[in-house]
Amino acid sequence: MRRAWLGIATVVAAVVAVALLVARPPPPRASNAPPEAFSEERAWPVFLHLTRTLGSRATGTAQWRPAAAYLLEKLRELPGVEVELQEGPGVVQRGWIVESVQYSARNVLARIPGRSQEAILLTAHYDSALEGAGAGDDGLAAAALVEVARALTAGPRLERTVILNLSGAEELWVAGAPRFLEHPWSKDVTAFVNLDSMGTRGRLLLFRVTEGDLGLLEAYARAAPHPHGSAFAQDLFKTGVIPSGTEFAIYAEQGKLHGLDLALYEDGYAYHTALDTPERVERGTMQDIGETALAVTRELASALPNERSAIGSYYDFLGLTFFTHTPQGMVGLMALALLAAAGAMGTVLRRELRGVRWMLAGLLSSVLGVVASLLAAALGAGLLVLLGRTFGWFATPWLAVVGFGGLALAGFLAVQHLWVRWAMRRGVTLREVMLGTWAGALGVWGLLGAVAVTQGAGISYLPLWWLLPGALGLAVAALAPRYTWAGWLIAFVPGALLTVRLGAMLLAVFIPMAVRLSAGIPLDFVIALLAALPVALCALVAVPRALEAGAPGRVSAMAGGVALLAVVAMAIVPPFSAARPQRLRVEQRDEAGRSTLLFRGGGGQDLQEAMKGLAGARRAEAGQWRLDLGEAQSLEQDAEITPQAAPSGAGLRKVTLRLQARGAQELKLKIPRESLVEWSLGPLPELRAGDTFYRAGHVEPPPEGWEVTLTLRGEAPVPVEFTQVFNTPSPEAQTVLDRLPEWVSSHARRYRSRMLSL
């Protein structure tokens, strides 16, 4: 019995190790690599200059223009490359709050001529978030594209032209991409590759492709040296649960271009914080970015697929190969898998089982096992919520795997223990229990696969890798009992590798993202589900083989005991650390003569521990704390109001505002919807039903001031809110922020507001 359980545990451990190891990036290539190859060592000085020498490069800040100038200089060193700075005013519409924002674009463009004018676009952004140096997001990719351009010029001339857009305003509501689409070069682009990031480590994940572009996927599959992608990531983006976006949507929707979206996803703890520094980056990650971008660009520039086909699913297998399927192909493969599973189940019935009811009982025990797994993990999360010790998995994510995953295993084994006892009382042998449960597990996977395919879900590839090998393995075990172990290995290993890899990816994305999510339930339940589901899915095939060894109840108790210890540890350990901090959104509000700091946390975090060192801080709205800083500076001299001649039409009047920045990086206006007829900023944005204000802004306002003319309805005074936005807080506010614990990451913007009566 012990040997059987030890053997299963050894196989499971090996599967987990392989699934995690293949996700590591390749070693960086040295600076003496062939000139036509990508070298991380050659690109590293560009990366360090952007992220360490310049630091934060947010749009409109002091280092934004020097960053563009530096990239222009490096690209102009390359022979035969046309380089241009796309600069000029633009307007972007912000989405979640409808706002019309003026800004200055500074896109760094490069054009590597091919034999034809038809072009492939490579794009990344060199600007960063305000909070940090943007090493992962997106300094790695920006520096990599400079080296990619050098490698392309060192190789033979390509059939198609290659254009680089190093976007200068991606973090400003993806404002750089729309400006590029106004450039004449954009008219030549037929396909694009977008590179972005929400992490600092690991390998690029292909997580989105434009609809119907199976040919682009196949080109990626042919070219990428270490392909890494999953259609399930695209499924998730379609649901809107991931609170991030890239310029991919602009090129695909506004530009009507065909393209691929690739991004880093590991170590999201540093995303949009001061921790996103070059010291945090894993060496080899840029090598993966550059090798992938270079190879895929050469493939697309040489043999761009013209035919379009619908996409059913896509995924890589351990980075060794990449599979792409049409919807019809997925239906055919699933039908084949279901037939194979039915054949294997029929073989078991004919040779081993005494009636179909034992197979149906095995199917029922498998379904109940999955349900018990998820319930057990949810109970563990519920215990943490009841104790008020949420987020205990955030800084130590392996505790979530051991705790919630261990509870899931214990729940599954507990059901199997009851099933074994019930069956043996009725004279069923352990081998019959094992084969019946194994066949039942195939039935569960068959149901999951059929549902996934009929719904057109990209994740439908996963059931295939459990059904086809599972059917073969079960047939081997039924036809040649002496090779049952070999049959089980065939059935378990391929599907488990993909399941563990996908589960690790989801945890790597969602655990760091938890401090940015808004959910209707405590996020402990979400993380418990993500940790438990891969365990339950693997247990469907792993546990039946163990049943013949006996003692599932004893192993269930052991797994549950270890898991409960991990849950207790999650209730005790600090939930956050300096490397994996609690994230606070902080605003300094100067209005009505008073200055106040507002603290907000994401993910339903309780801020009480973070606020302990701030005397005078108090709870305000749900999830928000306030701290009064005293009197605020007046804005009386920063707005000039000049009435204009009334336009034709009764009841209308014009007012011109000249608004001064006084060192602010952004100016804002908020105007009542019912009073505004038109403004000098272009067409009024289309508001949603519940919006009561028109909002306008100007990033990096001109020194002479921002002039806006409003056409208002009626003669009654109209209250308009004018706000100056500073990227840094006042010295007094910064003193307060410095008293926050080291496990808190915060960055405050200062908003100085006053009401204008027009």
Side-chain angles (χ1 to χ4, degrees), residues 38-40 43-44 46-48 50-51 57 70-71 75 108 121-128 133-150 163-167 170-171 193-205 207 246-247 260-265 276 278 281-282 284-294 297:
F38 183 91
S39 163
E40 180 178 299
W44 201 252
V46 176
F47 169 67
L48 290 182
L50 290 174
T51 58
R57 306 170 304 284
Y70 174 75
L71 291 169
L75 289 169
V108 177
L121 172 66
L122 274 178
T123 180
H125 65 93
Y126 70 84
D127 68 319
S128 70
D137 181 28
D138 195 23
L140 278 171
L145 287 191
V146 175
E147 169 66 4
V148 166
R150 187 213 54 76
I163 295 173
L164 271 66
N165 175 26
L166 298 178
S167 172
E170 192 272 349
E171 298 292 357
V193 178
N194 183 64
L195 305 174
D196 212 325
S197 172
M198 57 180 177
T200 63
R201 300 174 57 81
R203 292 172 44 205
L204 271 180
L205 175 72
F207 63 97
T246 71
E247 293 183 321
L260 306 171
D261 205 6
L262 300 101
L264 301 175
Y265 62 92
D276 192 4
V281 170
E282 181 179 15
T285 292
M286 187 196 288
Q287 186 67 39
D288 185 68
I289 294 172
E291 284 183 357
T292 301
L294 180 60
T297 301

XYZ file of all heavy atoms in Angstrom, residues 38-40 43-44 46-48 50-51 57 70-71 75 108 121-128 133-150 163-167 170-171 193-205 207 246-247 260-265 276 278 281-282 284-294 297:
654
model
N 19.316 37.953 -31.385
C 18.991 38.847 -30.271
C 19.895 38.539 -29.092
O 20.092 37.383 -28.726
C 17.527 38.686 -29.845
C 17.118 39.625 -28.745
C 16.575 40.865 -29.049
C 17.300 39.288 -27.405
C 16.212 41.750 -28.040
C 16.939 40.164 -26.392
C 16.399 41.400 -26.712
N 20.423 39.573 -28.460
C 21.278 39.421 -27.287
C 20.757 40.299 -26.159
O 20.688 41.530 -26.303
C 22.723 39.804 -27.616
O 23.467 40.040 -26.433
N 20.396 39.676 -25.055
C 19.969 40.455 -23.891
C 21.089 41.344 -23.385
O 20.845 42.480 -22.964
C 19.494 39.517 -22.780
C 19.028 40.242 -21.530
C 18.524 39.319 -20.444
O 17.540 38.599 -20.697
O 19.121 39.318 -19.343
N 21.160 44.519 -25.236
C 20.001 45.382 -24.980
C 19.979 45.923 -23.559
O 19.297 46.918 -23.290
C 18.718 44.596 -25.250
N 20.727 45.286 -22.655
C 20.631 45.638 -21.239
C 20.999 47.092 -20.942
O 20.326 47.747 -20.129
C 21.491 44.684 -20.423
C 21.090 44.609 -18.983
C 21.763 45.121 -17.910
C 19.915 43.994 -18.444
N 21.094 44.861 -16.746
C 19.949 44.160 -17.036
C 18.835 43.313 -19.009
C 18.947 43.681 -16.200
C 17.842 42.833 -18.180
C 17.892 43.017 -16.794
N 20.486 49.770 -22.694
C 19.335 50.600 -23.048
C 18.270 50.487 -21.960
O 17.676 51.486 -21.528
C 18.765 50.177 -24.417
C 17.504 50.967 -24.755
C 19.812 50.361 -25.499
N 18.043 49.279 -21.512
C 17.061 49.033 -20.451
C 17.444 49.774 -19.174
O 16.605 50.427 -18.546
C 16.970 47.524 -20.213
C 16.199 47.136 -18.985
C 14.838 47.366 -18.895
C 16.840 46.531 -17.911
C 14.124 47.006 -17.759
C 16.140 46.165 -16.779
C 14.770 46.405 -16.705
N 18.714 49.704 -18.775
C 19.155 50.359 -17.550
C 19.059 51.879 -17.653
O 18.738 52.555 -16.672
C 20.585 49.946 -17.205
C 20.782 48.501 -16.739
C 22.243 48.255 -16.399
C 19.900 48.180 -15.541
N 16.875 53.599 -19.404
C 15.470 53.976 -19.290
C 14.969 53.861 -17.859
O 14.266 54.749 -17.361
C 14.614 53.098 -20.201
C 14.734 53.305 -21.717
C 13.929 52.241 -22.451
C 14.256 54.693 -22.116
N 15.328 52.789 -17.195
C 14.685 52.471 -15.916
C 15.477 52.909 -14.692
O 14.875 53.221 -13.660
C 14.429 50.960 -15.822
O 15.674 50.258 -15.953
C 13.493 50.504 -16.920
N 8.865 57.495 -16.186
C 8.752 58.196 -17.471
C 7.277 58.410 -17.826
O 6.876 58.269 -18.987
C 9.445 57.386 -18.573
C 10.883 57.049 -18.248
C 11.497 56.052 -19.203
N 10.735 54.820 -19.289
C 10.723 53.845 -18.382
N 11.454 53.974 -17.285
N 10.000 52.755 -18.551
N 16.391 59.775 -26.048
C 17.387 58.700 -25.960
C 17.067 57.572 -26.944
O 17.963 57.072 -27.642
C 17.437 58.166 -24.535
C 18.328 56.966 -24.354
C 19.716 57.091 -24.348
C 17.784 55.690 -24.200
C 20.534 55.990 -24.187
C 18.599 54.581 -24.037
C 19.966 54.734 -24.031
O 20.771 53.633 -23.872
N 15.814 57.175 -27.020
C 15.431 56.105 -27.943
C 15.630 56.531 -29.394
O 16.063 55.726 -30.235
C 13.983 55.699 -27.693
C 13.728 54.983 -26.372
C 12.239 54.859 -26.107
C 14.385 53.599 -26.372
N 18.097 54.493 -32.055
C 17.580 53.970 -33.320
C 18.252 54.627 -34.520
O 18.433 53.989 -35.569
C 16.069 54.172 -33.379
C 15.253 53.273 -32.438
C 13.811 53.732 -32.363
C 15.324 51.818 -32.892
N 7.929 57.339 -30.628
C 9.208 57.145 -31.313
C 8.996 56.070 -32.369
O 8.706 54.918 -32.046
C 10.310 56.731 -30.324
C 11.607 56.453 -31.070
C 10.511 57.822 -29.275
N 3.921 45.765 -37.934
C 4.138 46.708 -36.837
C 4.559 45.972 -35.580
O 3.914 45.016 -35.156
C 2.847 47.493 -36.563
C 2.853 48.395 -35.318
C 3.841 49.545 -35.488
C 1.451 48.930 -35.041
N 5.656 46.433 -34.990
C 6.094 45.982 -33.667
C 5.876 47.139 -32.701
O 6.354 48.251 -32.958
C 7.581 45.617 -33.679
C 7.981 44.211 -34.091
C 9.497 44.097 -34.078
C 7.386 43.190 -33.156
N 5.200 46.893 -31.602
C 4.884 48.009 -30.719
C 5.042 47.645 -29.249
O 4.749 46.521 -28.833
C 3.449 48.519 -30.986
O 3.158 49.605 -30.118
C 2.425 47.421 -30.766
N 5.560 48.598 -28.488
C 5.662 48.535 -27.028
C 5.609 49.984 -26.558
O 5.612 50.908 -27.380
C 6.954 47.856 -26.584
N 5.561 50.213 -25.262
C 5.516 51.607 -24.790
C 6.693 51.887 -23.865
O 7.075 51.056 -23.050
C 4.186 51.928 -24.118
C 3.895 51.185 -22.853
N 4.199 51.688 -21.600
C 3.309 49.978 -22.626
C 3.805 50.834 -20.671
N 3.266 49.785 -21.255
N 7.271 53.082 -24.037
C 8.416 53.464 -23.209
C 8.000 54.290 -22.004
O 8.791 54.492 -21.083
C 9.458 54.226 -24.034
C 9.040 55.608 -24.475
C 9.181 56.716 -23.647
C 8.504 55.812 -25.740
C 8.801 57.978 -24.057
C 8.120 57.068 -26.160
C 8.266 58.148 -25.324
O 7.879 59.396 -25.727
N 6.766 54.807 -21.995
C 6.327 55.540 -20.809
C 6.038 54.559 -19.685
O 5.847 53.364 -19.917
C 5.101 56.393 -21.122
C 3.858 55.564 -21.423
O 3.981 54.549 -22.119
O 2.766 55.935 -20.956
N 6.009 55.055 -18.473
C 5.764 54.210 -17.304
C 4.591 54.766 -16.518
O 4.108 55.874 -16.776
C 7.003 54.152 -16.408
O 7.199 55.411 -15.770
N 9.556 53.003 -11.916
C 10.439 53.117 -13.075
C 9.967 52.297 -14.265
O 10.575 52.376 -15.331
C 11.855 52.684 -12.681
N 8.927 51.499 -14.091
C 8.385 50.759 -15.224
C 9.389 49.810 -15.850
O 9.503 49.742 -17.075
N 10.119 49.058 -15.030
C 11.109 48.128 -15.573
C 10.426 47.007 -16.359
O 10.754 46.744 -17.522
C 11.952 47.553 -14.443
N 9.459 46.342 -15.720
C 8.730 45.311 -16.441
C 7.712 45.906 -17.377
O 7.538 45.449 -18.508
N 7.020 46.942 -16.923
C 5.935 47.577 -17.673
C 6.337 48.974 -18.089
O 6.070 49.942 -17.376
C 4.689 47.616 -16.783
C 3.498 48.241 -17.460
O 3.418 48.175 -18.694
O 2.644 48.809 -16.755
N 6.981 49.174 -19.230
C 7.216 48.203 -20.282
C 8.638 48.397 -20.780
O 8.917 48.284 -21.957
C 6.183 48.441 -21.394
C 6.043 47.310 -22.384
O 6.386 46.170 -22.047
O 5.598 47.555 -23.494
N 9.542 48.754 -19.769
C 10.921 49.038 -20.139
C 11.622 47.876 -20.796
O 12.426 48.053 -21.718
N 11.342 46.648 -20.324
C 11.962 45.467 -20.926
C 11.647 45.363 -22.407
O 12.537 45.142 -23.241
C 11.481 44.207 -20.201
C 12.176 43.834 -18.903
C 11.429 42.705 -18.218
C 13.620 43.419 -19.156
N 10.378 45.509 -22.764
C 9.982 45.358 -24.159
C 10.492 46.511 -25.015
O 10.903 46.314 -26.165
C 8.464 45.243 -24.261
N 10.461 47.749 -24.471
C 10.944 48.895 -25.237
C 12.424 48.740 -25.579
O 12.846 48.956 -26.723
C 10.702 50.184 -24.454
N 13.229 48.351 -24.579
C 14.653 48.141 -24.826
C 14.879 46.959 -25.766
O 15.765 46.986 -26.629
C 15.377 47.914 -23.504
N 14.068 45.916 -25.597
C 14.208 44.741 -26.463
C 13.952 45.095 -27.920
O 14.636 44.592 -28.822
C 13.253 43.641 -26.007
N 12.986 45.976 -28.184
C 12.673 46.303 -29.577
C 13.797 47.094 -30.242
O 13.974 47.012 -31.459
C 11.360 47.067 -29.656
C 10.099 46.237 -29.419
C 8.854 47.024 -29.790
C 10.130 44.924 -30.190
N 14.550 47.858 -29.466
C 15.722 48.529 -30.040
C 16.726 47.487 -30.522
O 17.288 47.584 -31.623
C 16.363 49.483 -29.015
C 17.658 50.078 -29.563
C 15.391 50.587 -28.633
N 16.943 46.446 -29.714
C 17.860 45.374 -30.110
C 17.265 44.539 -31.251
O 17.998 44.087 -32.139
C 18.168 44.492 -28.898
C 18.885 43.185 -29.184
C 20.302 43.342 -29.712
O 20.799 44.480 -29.796
O 20.911 42.310 -30.051
N 15.963 44.346 -31.262
C 15.316 43.633 -32.376
C 15.540 44.398 -33.675
O 15.854 43.797 -34.721
C 13.809 43.461 -32.096
C 13.062 43.037 -33.362
C 13.587 42.423 -31.008
N 15.387 45.721 -33.629
C 15.621 46.533 -34.830
C 17.059 46.381 -35.310
O 17.321 46.270 -36.522
C 15.301 47.993 -34.541
N 18.012 46.373 -34.365
C 19.416 46.202 -34.759
C 19.640 44.843 -35.416
O 20.323 44.724 -36.443
C 20.316 46.345 -33.520
C 21.818 46.354 -33.809
C 22.599 45.715 -32.700
N 22.135 44.382 -32.392
C 22.391 43.293 -33.135
N 23.098 43.406 -34.260
N 21.930 42.117 -32.788
N 7.869 48.203 -39.075
C 7.721 49.502 -38.419
C 7.688 49.285 -36.913
O 7.005 48.376 -36.428
C 6.433 50.215 -38.879
C 6.528 50.549 -40.375
C 6.173 51.475 -38.069
C 5.242 51.095 -40.964
N 8.425 50.104 -36.192
C 8.398 50.086 -34.730
C 7.645 51.319 -34.236
O 7.897 52.434 -34.722
C 9.811 50.107 -34.141
C 10.520 48.777 -33.895
C 10.795 48.069 -35.210
C 11.806 49.009 -33.128
N 6.750 51.126 -33.296
C 6.155 52.249 -32.570
C 6.448 52.062 -31.095
O 5.876 51.190 -30.442
C 4.642 52.325 -32.789
C 4.014 53.429 -31.934
O 4.683 54.393 -31.572
N 2.743 53.296 -31.619
N 7.373 52.864 -30.589
C 7.608 52.927 -29.150
C 6.698 54.026 -28.625
O 7.003 55.221 -28.704
C 9.083 53.203 -28.858
C 10.042 52.116 -29.370
C 11.485 52.492 -29.085
C 9.713 50.773 -28.760
N 5.566 53.602 -28.113
C 4.491 54.515 -27.763
C 4.843 55.311 -26.513
O 5.350 54.764 -25.539
C 3.206 53.714 -27.546
O 2.189 54.523 -27.024
N 1.032 55.182 -23.438
C 0.177 54.017 -23.220
C -0.496 54.074 -21.861
O -1.679 53.731 -21.723
C 1.006 52.733 -23.346
C 0.171 51.459 -23.429
C -0.162 50.854 -22.071
O 0.419 51.300 -21.054
O -1.000 49.928 -22.030
N 0.248 54.496 -20.856
C -0.326 54.551 -19.514
C -1.365 55.665 -19.382
O -2.164 55.655 -18.450
C 0.783 54.747 -18.471
C 1.807 53.617 -18.409
C 1.224 52.313 -17.887
O 0.037 52.291 -17.525
O 1.958 51.314 -17.855
N 2.356 43.115 -33.783
C 2.713 42.333 -32.595
C 2.865 43.329 -31.453
O 3.733 44.214 -31.510
C 4.018 41.542 -32.798
C 4.381 40.793 -31.522
C 3.896 40.581 -33.973
N 2.015 43.219 -30.448
C 2.047 44.136 -29.311
C 2.700 43.452 -28.117
O 2.375 42.317 -27.773
C 0.627 44.565 -28.937
C 0.629 45.585 -27.814
O 1.137 46.689 -27.972
N 0.064 45.222 -26.676
N 3.626 44.163 -27.469
C 4.355 43.641 -26.318
C 4.076 44.514 -25.100
O 4.291 45.725 -25.141
C 5.862 43.614 -26.585
C 6.327 42.868 -27.840
C 7.822 43.053 -28.031
C 5.988 41.392 -27.749
N 3.606 43.902 -24.029
C 3.304 44.660 -22.817
C 3.585 43.769 -21.616
O 4.110 42.659 -21.763
C 1.858 45.149 -22.829
C 1.694 46.482 -22.097
O 2.404 46.701 -21.101
O 0.855 47.293 -22.514
N 3.218 44.233 -20.427
C 3.571 43.466 -19.235
C 2.739 43.876 -18.045
O 2.335 45.030 -17.918
C 5.054 43.678 -18.897
O 5.373 43.088 -17.654
N 2.481 42.894 -17.170
C 2.000 43.206 -15.824
C 2.865 42.471 -14.798
O 2.420 42.162 -13.702
C 0.529 42.827 -15.660
C 0.174 41.403 -15.936
S -1.605 41.158 -15.695
C -1.762 39.430 -16.171
N 4.134 42.203 -15.176
C 5.065 41.533 -14.275
C 6.498 41.826 -14.661
O 6.777 42.608 -15.569
N 7.424 41.183 -13.973
C 8.858 41.416 -14.202
C 9.628 40.131 -14.460
O 10.843 40.173 -14.636
C 9.486 42.107 -12.976
O 9.382 41.233 -11.844
C 8.800 43.414 -12.659
N 8.944 38.987 -14.470
C 9.647 37.712 -14.527
C 8.980 36.775 -15.540
O 7.903 37.051 -16.050
C 9.636 37.036 -13.154
C 10.285 37.824 -12.048
C 10.102 37.159 -10.692
N 10.619 35.805 -10.672
C 11.900 35.492 -10.516
N 12.787 36.448 -10.354
N 12.291 34.236 -10.502
N 9.682 35.643 -15.776
C 9.076 34.579 -16.564
C 9.169 34.810 -18.051
O 10.087 35.456 -18.556
N 8.187 34.267 -18.753
C 8.192 34.288 -20.211
C 6.954 34.984 -20.744
O 5.926 35.074 -20.072
C 8.259 32.849 -20.744
C 9.594 32.172 -20.457
C 9.549 30.707 -20.815
N 8.908 30.486 -22.093
C 8.316 29.355 -22.434
N 8.269 28.364 -21.577
N 7.761 29.215 -23.611
N 7.073 35.465 -21.966
C 5.950 36.101 -22.640
C 4.816 35.108 -22.846
O 5.041 33.982 -23.305
C 6.380 36.618 -24.010
C 6.949 38.021 -24.143
C 7.299 38.274 -25.599
C 5.984 39.080 -23.643
N 3.614 35.533 -22.550
C 2.424 34.717 -22.791
C 1.644 35.322 -23.949
O 1.319 36.510 -23.935
C 1.542 34.685 -21.546
C 0.203 33.960 -21.701
C 0.412 32.453 -21.779
C -0.744 34.313 -20.557
N -1.654 35.834 -25.164
C -2.954 35.688 -24.522
C -4.101 36.253 -25.335
O -5.264 36.061 -24.971
C -2.957 36.314 -23.121
C -2.716 37.798 -23.090
C -3.775 38.674 -23.027
C -1.428 38.292 -23.093
C -3.553 40.032 -22.987
C -1.207 39.651 -23.040
C -2.263 40.531 -22.994
N -4.271 46.673 -22.949
C -3.078 47.026 -23.712
C -3.504 47.760 -24.979
O -4.695 47.922 -25.266
C -2.266 45.778 -24.110
O -2.986 45.054 -25.129
C -2.030 44.864 -22.916
N -2.520 48.196 -25.749
C -2.818 48.891 -27.006
C -3.346 47.949 -28.077
O -3.780 48.411 -29.140
C -1.560 49.620 -27.494
C -1.167 50.764 -26.578
C 0.036 51.547 -27.068
O 0.980 50.929 -27.580
O 0.025 52.786 -26.935
N -1.264 40.091 -32.706
C -1.025 39.243 -31.544
C -0.727 40.129 -30.340
O -0.064 41.164 -30.466
C 0.166 38.315 -31.798
C 0.124 37.440 -33.062
C 1.472 36.757 -33.270
C -0.986 36.408 -32.966
N -1.191 39.703 -29.177
C -0.953 40.432 -27.931
C -0.175 39.523 -26.993
O -0.667 38.456 -26.606
C -2.289 40.822 -27.306
C -2.185 42.040 -26.405
O -1.107 42.655 -26.354
O -3.190 42.390 -25.769
N 1.037 39.934 -26.624
C 1.900 39.140 -25.757
C 2.307 39.977 -24.547
O 2.549 41.177 -24.665
C 3.148 38.669 -26.495
C 2.927 37.786 -27.721
C 3.077 38.612 -28.998
C 3.925 36.631 -27.753
N 2.409 39.323 -23.386
C 2.759 40.074 -22.173
C 3.394 39.150 -21.144
O 3.151 37.940 -21.137
C 1.519 40.737 -21.571
N 4.204 39.737 -20.268
C 4.688 39.051 -19.077
C 3.580 39.058 -18.036
O 2.777 39.986 -17.977
C 5.916 39.759 -18.512
C 7.137 39.884 -19.418
C 8.214 40.718 -18.726
C 7.679 38.526 -19.809
N 3.550 38.024 -17.187
C 2.491 37.979 -16.183
C 2.989 37.572 -14.797
O 2.242 37.681 -13.818
C 1.393 37.003 -16.612
C 1.854 35.568 -16.759
C 1.771 34.683 -15.697
C 2.379 35.100 -17.954
C 2.197 33.368 -15.817
C 2.803 33.797 -18.095
C 2.712 32.931 -17.028
O 3.145 31.640 -17.159
N 8.727 48.247 -9.275
C 8.979 47.841 -10.661
C 10.302 48.430 -11.132
O 10.355 49.357 -11.938
C 7.824 48.297 -11.550
C 7.866 47.655 -12.930
O 8.744 46.798 -13.154
O 7.026 48.010 -13.775
N 14.697 47.710 -12.169
C 15.528 46.723 -12.872
C 16.071 45.627 -11.964
O 16.320 44.511 -12.415
C 16.663 47.567 -13.473
C 16.610 48.879 -12.781
C 15.195 49.079 -12.351
N 13.926 42.427 -12.004
C 13.756 41.678 -13.256
C 14.582 40.395 -13.244
O 15.741 40.385 -12.819
C 14.152 42.563 -14.456
C 14.225 41.752 -15.737
C 13.160 43.713 -14.602
N 13.989 39.320 -13.719
C 14.685 38.036 -13.848
C 15.502 38.039 -15.135
O 14.977 38.305 -16.220
C 13.661 36.898 -13.876
C 14.278 35.519 -13.990
C 13.235 34.413 -13.992
O 12.043 34.716 -14.183
O 13.616 33.246 -13.799
N 17.154 36.775 -18.365
C 16.626 35.818 -19.331
C 15.235 36.183 -19.802
O 14.811 35.767 -20.887
N 14.516 36.975 -19.008
C 13.171 37.380 -19.412
C 13.211 38.249 -20.664
O 12.429 38.065 -21.598
C 12.471 38.120 -18.258
O 12.214 37.188 -17.201
C 11.163 38.720 -18.702
N 14.141 39.211 -20.700
C 14.255 40.021 -21.905
C 14.702 39.183 -23.092
O 14.292 39.432 -24.232
C 15.213 41.189 -21.702
C 15.207 42.149 -22.898
S 16.595 43.288 -22.945
C 16.163 44.381 -21.620
N 15.531 38.166 -22.837
C 15.957 37.287 -23.931
C 14.748 36.603 -24.554
O 14.638 36.489 -25.779
C 16.944 36.239 -23.403
C 17.563 35.366 -24.477
C 18.482 36.141 -25.412
O 19.219 37.018 -24.976
N 18.422 35.835 -26.693
N 13.813 36.160 -23.715
C 12.605 35.520 -24.239
C 11.762 36.516 -25.029
O 11.241 36.186 -26.103
C 11.791 34.934 -23.086
C 10.584 34.161 -23.563
O 10.775 33.091 -24.181
O 9.453 34.620 -23.347
N 11.636 37.746 -24.505
C 10.880 38.773 -25.222
C 11.498 39.025 -26.591
O 10.811 39.028 -27.621
C 10.854 40.080 -24.405
C 10.071 39.898 -23.105
C 10.246 41.218 -25.223
C 10.177 41.084 -22.161
N 12.814 39.256 -26.595
C 13.482 39.610 -27.843
C 13.512 38.483 -28.851
O 13.262 38.694 -30.046
N 13.830 37.265 -28.394
C 13.857 36.124 -29.311
C 12.490 35.903 -29.946
O 12.383 35.639 -31.151
C 14.283 34.856 -28.561
C 15.760 34.761 -28.260
C 16.115 33.440 -27.593
O 15.196 32.643 -27.328
O 17.308 33.213 -27.345
N 11.462 36.000 -29.126
C 10.113 35.782 -29.633
C 9.726 36.860 -30.631
O 9.231 36.558 -31.734
C 9.107 35.756 -28.469
O 9.470 34.716 -27.558
C 7.699 35.519 -28.974
N 9.932 38.127 -30.256
C 9.561 39.226 -31.149
C 10.334 39.165 -32.457
O 9.766 39.376 -33.546
C 9.798 40.562 -30.449
N 11.614 38.864 -32.383
C 12.447 38.817 -33.589
C 12.015 37.678 -34.510
O 11.835 37.876 -35.723
C 13.915 38.654 -33.187
C 14.942 38.581 -34.322
C 14.909 39.849 -35.163
C 16.344 38.349 -33.756
N 8.454 38.328 -35.973
C 8.498 39.409 -36.969
C 9.084 38.923 -38.280
O 8.556 39.224 -39.362
C 9.315 40.591 -36.424
O 8.708 41.064 -35.221
C 9.376 41.720 -37.433
